[in-house]
Amino acid sequence: MLLLQDIAVTYNGIIPAVQGVSIEVPDKTVVALLGANGAGKTTILRAISGLLHIHRASITRGSILFDGERIDTLNTTQIVQRGISQVLEGRRLFADLTVDENLRTGAISTRDAKVVSRAYDHVMDLFPALRERRKSSAGYLSGGEQQMLAIGRGLMTSPKLLLLDEPSLGLAPFMVQQIRSIIAEINAGGTAVLLVEQNAQMALSIAHYGYVLETGKVALAQPAAVLMEDESVRKFYLGLHEGEERSMSTVRQRRPERKWDL
């Protein structure tokens, strides 16, 4: 479905952030994109969704194809209309608008009222808590409810591919498990997911395939189950070693002795 071929991204015309990254997201799969802060994960999502220019960045090499069509030359609205939706890190809700109003903003590029109505009903079925808070201002929701709303807003275009940037960030463990279940349910309904996560263990537990980024390059690409069991990955990238369970944000920045060739 999605194919990044040798993508390079530069900020302000001089700062390289991504260098020759190639990634595939097959139809109806969950692919995890992992790595420490600054590895280039969010930059890749911005490249896919057409948001690089907002951050004074641009693609300097490579191409991005979606359903066989090149999309790196399209604007964000055109990309959304082709079936890609992104849920930004930090939720980015309109705090003064109600739950309903926030959801409607997610469908602003969709002209068919019936499509919007079906998407709205699907979101309400997926998030019963939001149904009870439909008229509440988004700013008064709990952190977990806000994350549900952000994901729900991303689903209002009924996307083929959902880009999720740190959906578990700042949430309590029980809520992280709820978000994990929701992502799995979204995928079971036929939507492909590209998941950027610091909580690597959660991401790999639902992903079919995973990529590990290091300083803007793909350091390792394997089925998720293989990544979870690889001792070098567990120790240096996932922060899981000798019974410890930590998110990648707590792993020290260091280059490991690897068993693989880059």
Side-chain angles (χ1 to χ4, degrees), residues 37-105:
N37 289 332
K41 306 183 299 297
T42 295
T43 295
I44 288 174
L45 295 190
R46 291 171 180 166
I48 297 168
S49 58
L51 295 176
L52 285 175
H53 67 283
I54 297 174
H55 303 275
R56 299 181 181 179
S58 61
I59 296 173
T60 57
R61 186 178 75 241
S63 61
I64 303 175
L65 282 75
F66 184 68
D67 281 345
E69 177 188 5
R70 190 166 178 177
I71 63 170
D72 53 284
T73 58
L74 304 180
N75 63 42
T76 302
T77 300
Q78 293 170 323
I79 292 170
V80 170
Q81 290 172 339
R82 278 158 177 75
I84 298 177
S85 182
Q86 181 174 354
V87 179
L88 300 171
E89 179 184 354
R91 301 153 197 163
R92 308 293 179 90
L93 299 172
F94 299 102
D96 294 333
L97 299 185
T98 66
V99 167
D100 266 359
E101 289 168 339
N102 269 276
L103 291 176
R104 299 296 177 182
T105 65

Side-chain angles (χ1 to χ4, degrees), residues 17 29 68 70 82 87 106 108 154 157 160 165-166 208 223 226 232 237 254:
T29 63
R70 190 166 178 177
R82 278 158 177 75
V87 179
I108 196 169
T157 58
K160 299 177 184 176
D165 196 355
E166 305 285 5
H208 299 91
V226 176
S232 295
Y237 286 113
R254 58 175 295 183

Side-chain angles (χ1 to χ4, degrees), residues 156-231:
M156 285 297 292
T157 58
S158 300
K160 299 177 184 176
L161 172 64
L162 185 64
L163 310 178
L164 292 176
D165 196 355
E166 305 285 5
S168 75
L169 185 66
L171 299 181
F174 80 93
M175 184 55 66
V176 171
Q177 290 305 310
Q178 286 192 35
I179 295 299
R180 177 199 178 280
S181 298
I182 288 166
I183 296 170
E185 186 173 350
I186 290 170
N187 176 243
T191 302
V193 178
L194 179 56
L195 174 61
V196 165
E197 256 296 341
Q198 289 282 345
N199 189 331
Q201 189 171 31
M202 183 275 273
L204 291 177
S205 72
I206 54 175
H208 299 91
Y209 203 84
Y211 293 85
V212 177
L213 293 184
E214 183 181 278
T215 60
K217 298 179 181 179
V218 175
L220 188 62
Q222 294 279 5
V226 176
L227 285 178
M228 187 73 84
E229 296 302 321
D230 187 289
E231 184 59 26

Side-chain angles (χ1 to χ4, degrees), residues 119-185:
Y120 178 85
D121 290 340
H122 174 62
V123 170
M124 288 300 165
D125 290 340
L126 194 61
F127 302 106
L130 296 184
R131 187 186 298 276
E132 300 173 2
R133 306 294 301 274
R134 292 172 52 244
K135 303 304 179 183
S136 299
S137 296
Y140 288 99
L141 301 181
S142 68
E145 289 170 337
Q146 288 184 354
Q147 188 60 66
M148 291 177 186
L149 179 55
I151 295 174
R153 185 176 60 181
L155 293 173
M156 285 297 292
T157 58
S158 300
K160 299 177 184 176
L161 172 64
L162 185 64
L163 310 178
L164 292 176
D165 196 355
E166 305 285 5
S168 75
L169 185 66
L171 299 181
F174 80 93
M175 184 55 66
V176 171
Q177 290 305 310
Q178 286 192 35
I179 295 299
R180 177 199 178 280
S181 298
I182 288 166
I183 296 170
E185 186 173 350

Side-chain angles (χ1 to χ4, degrees), residues 14 25 83 164 239 260:
I14 57 172
V25 181
L164 292 176
W260 55 84

